[in-house]
């Protein structure tokens, strides 16, 4: 990541040398070429979508977070010199939902094909479906923007060549115009100094440059017209390429959002549901490249469905005492001044945006019902025997518990134990989501040592006052001889009593689901309640275990 950052900073002209010894010359040439053709966010006429320098800068900042976006931009410029500008326009198109498209006179003629491609998207069912996911969502807008390469790759070669020629000619004309401006300033200085000889030389050179500018400009317009003709003649081919790219983006966006939501990333007590979109984008990129995280996310989603289904059968009232205000998205609880915003068109649109972002001021109610117990300590067995589906399910259950603690506004501690201890306490605000994801990626794979986990929990009760009266959850395959550690077991049971904490066990074994009984061995020595479930790649038996633990015991 550090080397990528160095290269990206080099690409944007902010210093930093890429010191990769492998393929050094090739890499340097590649990035020098990309730097020479980098897009200019200040020249408004390079963009067919009405946007501000601030929003374009926001896109460039996003690139620093997502090296793949820079790579795709570089690959795109190998076909279309101004593909980077198309990325920016595409980003605005997806993120803002309905941005203003400029009339032709407000952007350079050689950028007409960009406008044509975006125009063809409008009205497509695939675009309407995708737009519902990308508006004001940097994560999904980024996914859609990355699919622009797929559109260009599917265009006919002749069409791409005409667009490329138009953009090259247009750039030559703009560079000639800049040089001509420099010559005019030099001529003015020579005139003021009375240097007739230099004036004559500058006039001759300037005349040639002016002719070159006009010729390049005409050539750019001609090539742009031919490119537009090619797009119109093969419009169905272009539409097919767009539909395919949008369909892929829609599917990936839905999958990514489902994974992030099932892991409760980006959500926290008293916070916007987009806590830090740039950080969430980074996390999403990691998840997309990690099959194990995607598997954990999918399983966490299934557990969430079980909990939701069971919770719906319970009577939950929205009545309560209004105690303060907070940020949220519940329209029924918005304060009066926020509702008054609807009287103004501009403020009303801003209100809608903030409702979507859960950033409106709403009344906070203190429920008259029990909000459940306190914090949770989740101890996950990460020994070698827990590899494969078992550890995926164990970590998926931990994800569900992390979400419960966020809802309770209580801290959550995860302990991974085997031959060593790896633990951390997470805030309910969601600020620790990235660290929690990193913990999900960790797997020790050593031996099984319950006594290490017991000692860590005892230490937690002693050192972390917020974790008193915590619910302790043990997840393991129970491959541990508890009877060989009587002293450590007695100390742990005493600590539970002193902390007024309850301990629950989930045994991910090979037997089918049963309530506490003879088939549960290790957990019966220290757990108040325990369940044994059978797991496989096809799923988990005993949904009763999930619903009984989370809903009946943890008040999820």
């Amino acid at each position: 990541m550090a080397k990528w950052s160095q290269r990206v900073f080099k690409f944007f002209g902010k210093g930093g040398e890429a010191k990769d010894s492998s393929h050094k010359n090739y890499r340097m040439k590649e990035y020098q070429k990309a730097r020479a053709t980098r897009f200019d966010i200040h020249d408004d006429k390079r963009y067919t979508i009405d946007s501000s320098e601030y929003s374009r800068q926001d896109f460039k900042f996003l690139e620093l977070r997502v090296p793949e976006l820079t790579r795709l931009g570089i690959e795109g410029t190998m076909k279309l010199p101004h593909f980077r500008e198309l990325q920016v326009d595409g980003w605005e198109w997806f993120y803002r939902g309905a941005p203003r498209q400029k009339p032709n006179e407000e952007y350079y003629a050689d950028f007409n094909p960009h406008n044509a491609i975006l125009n063809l998207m409008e009205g497509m069912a695939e675009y309407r479906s995708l737009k519902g996911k990308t508006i004001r969502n940097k994560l999904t807008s980024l996914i859609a923007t990355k699919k622009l390469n797929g559109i260009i790759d599917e265009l006919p070669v002749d069409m791409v060549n005409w667009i490329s020629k138009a953009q090259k000619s247009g750039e030559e004309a703009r560079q000639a115009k800049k040089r001509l401006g420099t010559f005019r300033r030099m001529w003015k200085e020579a005139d003021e100094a009375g240097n007739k000889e230099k004036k004559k030389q500058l006039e001759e050179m300037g005349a040639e440059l002016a002719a070159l500018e006009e010729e390049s400009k005409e050539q750019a317009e001609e090539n742009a017209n031919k490119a537009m003709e090619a797009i119109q003649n093969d419009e169905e081919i272009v539409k097919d390429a767009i539909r395919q790219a949008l369909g892929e983006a829609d599917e990936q966006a839905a999958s990514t959002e489902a994974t992030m939501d099932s892991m409760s990333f980006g959500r926290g007590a008293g916070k916007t549901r987009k806590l830090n979109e740039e950080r969430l984008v980074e996390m999403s990129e990691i998840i997309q490249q990690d099959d194990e995280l995607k598997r954990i996310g999918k399983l966490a989603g299934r557990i969430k469905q079980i909990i939701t289904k069971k919770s719906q059968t319970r009577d939950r009232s929205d009545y309560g005492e209004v105690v303060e205000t907070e940020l949220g998205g519940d329209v029924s609880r918005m304060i009066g001044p926020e509702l008054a915003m609807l009287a103004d068109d501009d403020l009303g649109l801003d209100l809608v945006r903030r409702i979507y972002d859960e950033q409106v001021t709403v009344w906070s109610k203190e429920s008259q019902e029990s909000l459940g117990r306190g914090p949770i300590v989740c101890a996950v067995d990460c020994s070698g025997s827990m590899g494969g589906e078992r550890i995926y399910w164990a970590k998926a259950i931990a994800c569900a518990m992390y979400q419960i603690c966020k809802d309770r506004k209580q801290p959550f501690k995860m302990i991974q134990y085997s031959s060593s201890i790896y633990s951390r306490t997470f805030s309910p605000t969601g600020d620790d989501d990235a660290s929690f994801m990193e913990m999900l990626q960790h797997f020790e794979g050593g031996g099984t040592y319950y006594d290490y986990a017991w000692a860590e929990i005892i230490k937690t009760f002693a050192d972390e006052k917020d974790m008193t009266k915590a619910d302790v959850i043990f997840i393991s395959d129970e491959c541990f001889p508890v009877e060989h550690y009587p002293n450590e077991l007695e100390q742990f049971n005493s600590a539970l009593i002193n902390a007024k904490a309850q301990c629950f066990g989930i045994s991910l074994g090979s037997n089918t689901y049963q309530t506490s009984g003879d088939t549960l061995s290790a957990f019966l020595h220290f757990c108040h309640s325990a369940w044994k479930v059978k797991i496989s790649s096809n799923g988990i038996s005993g949904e009763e275990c999930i619903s009984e633990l989370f809903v009946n015991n943890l008040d999820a």
Side-chain angles (χ1 to χ4, degrees), residues 28-95:
M28 288 303 295
K29 289 180 180 178
E30 179 182 356
Y31 279 91
Q32 285 171 355
K33 179 181 178 181
R35 184 179 178 183
T37 59
R38 71 179 185 268
F39 58 96
D40 180 6
I41 65 169
H42 304 294
D43 189 351
D44 190 67
K45 296 190 72 174
R46 289 175 176 267
Y47 303 95
T48 65
I49 299 296
D50 190 13
S51 58
S52 65
E53 287 187 24
Y54 176 82
S55 61
R56 296 171 207 152
Q57 186 65 53
D58 192 39
F59 177 82
K60 289 181 70 172
F61 177 74
L62 192 63
E63 275 203 317
L64 298 178
R65 301 272 184 164
V66 186
E68 186 186 5
L69 193 60
T70 301
R71 179 184 63 79
L72 291 172
I74 292 173
E75 290 180 359
T77 55
M78 294 177 182
K79 291 188 175 183
L80 300 182
H82 295 310
F83 181 78
R84 312 301 297 281
E85 285 85 348
L86 177 59
Q87 280 186 314
V88 177
D89 277 341
W91 165 261
E92 296 283 347
W93 183 262
F94 295 121
Y95 183 67

Side-chain angles (χ1 to χ4, degrees), residues 306-359:
I306 295 172
I307 297 172
T308 301
K309 182 179 179 181
K310 183 68 176 180
S311 298
Q312 287 174 347
T313 64
R314 300 196 307 178
D315 181 23
R316 290 185 178 272
S317 174
D318 187 50
Y319 295 103
E321 180 184 357
V322 174
V323 291
E324 59 182 1
T325 59
E326 63 181 2
L327 294 180
D330 188 345
V331 178
S332 65
R333 293 192 290 119
M334 281 198 305
I335 65 173
E338 292 282 29
L339 289 171
M341 300 289 184
L342 294 172
D344 182 87
D345 291 341
D346 294 334
L347 293 178
L349 288 173
D350 180 69
L351 178 65
V352 171
R353 177 189 62 79
R354 289 189 293 115
I355 290 173
Y356 179 82
D357 289 340
E358 296 186 5
Q359 280 287 281

